Amino acid sequence: MDDKEGDRHTGSAAPPVFQAAVQALRGTRLRPQIEIEPTRAPQRLAPYAYALEATVVDGDQDLADGRLVLLHDPDGHDAWRGSFRLVTLVRAELEPEMAADPLLPEVCWSWLTGALGARGLSYGEPSGTVTRASSHYFGGLCERPAASQIEIRASWTPREGLGGVPDTGAHLASWCDLLAQVAGLPPAGPGDASVVTLPQRRDPQAR
């Protein structure tokens, strides 16, 4: 990954544990349908922050997108119960019939926790929201079909490993598993055939 905006809090003045966590993010190999790059990190959530944005692509179409932010406070944070925190946003369009499913929010949340559990990751203090939105068009836009979108906002505390550094590379890979699942991509690895994904949206956004 070509680091530009993401370098704001990752220079020599950053704590070594944070630099190591960021390097693990940069070195993670992902499935080819996911394009990822650094983006501007939030300035006031923590003393140190690093952000990535990703898009799930199929040819020239974007199927889903998201943002992952790594936060670090060397003094720790009471709400986090740790010194690191991961914050995410994932979005995808879907069929209106799927958006009407009353169980969809619970299912989408289980995809997040399931993606972390599938890689054996230890984490704490998870929190978040799942939002469904529908758009209907009128007047000069009446020829457009109704559109529905799912949005997952979440955060969790990755458990720190040797030297106080969490396995951020594995957490990034799990997050990308969630992105792919929401986008409706088939499972990437063997043994995942039982995973149910959202059907591909009706009219993916052309790039």
Side-chain angles (χ1 to χ4, degrees), residues 1-3 22 24-28 30 36-38 50 52 172:
M1 293 182 287
D2 180 20
D3 291 295
V22 169
L25 290 175
R26 293 173 175 170
T28 302
L30 306 172
I36 193 165
E37 62 182 1
Y50 183 80
L52 297 167
L172 173 59

Side-chain angles (χ1 to χ4, degrees), residues 28 144 167 194 198:
T28 302
R144 292 188 184 183
D167 190 353
S194 62
L198 284 176

Side-chain angles (χ1 to χ4, degrees), residues 9-109:
H9 282 162
T10 59
S12 59
V17 291
F18 181 71
Q19 294 184 49
V22 169
Q23 287 301 322
L25 290 175
R26 293 173 175 170
T28 302
R29 297 184 61 183
L30 306 172
R31 59 190 296 175
Q33 298 95 332
I34 297 180
E35 297 181 354
I36 193 165
E37 62 182 1
T39 188
R40 183 177 297 278
Q43 300 182 20
R44 299 176 181 176
L45 296 180
Y48 302 95
Y50 183 80
L52 297 167
E53 58 184 10
T55 304
V56 182
V57 299
D58 181 15
D60 61 350
Q61 297 174 332
D62 295 349
L63 303 180
D65 62 79
R67 191 170 189 244
L68 183 70
V69 180
L70 174 68
L71 305 175
H72 177 56
D73 186 338
D75 295 329
H77 195 290
D78 290 341
W80 303 352
R81 295 187 181 274
S83 63
F84 284 91
R85 188 76 171 172
L86 285 164
V87 182
T88 184
L89 165 67
V90 172
R91 298 174 298 196
E93 291 186 17
L94 64 153
E95 296 289 347
E97 297 79 11
M98 286 293 296
D101 186 342
L103 296 179
L104 184 62
E106 289 79 6
V107 170
C108 288
W109 182 256

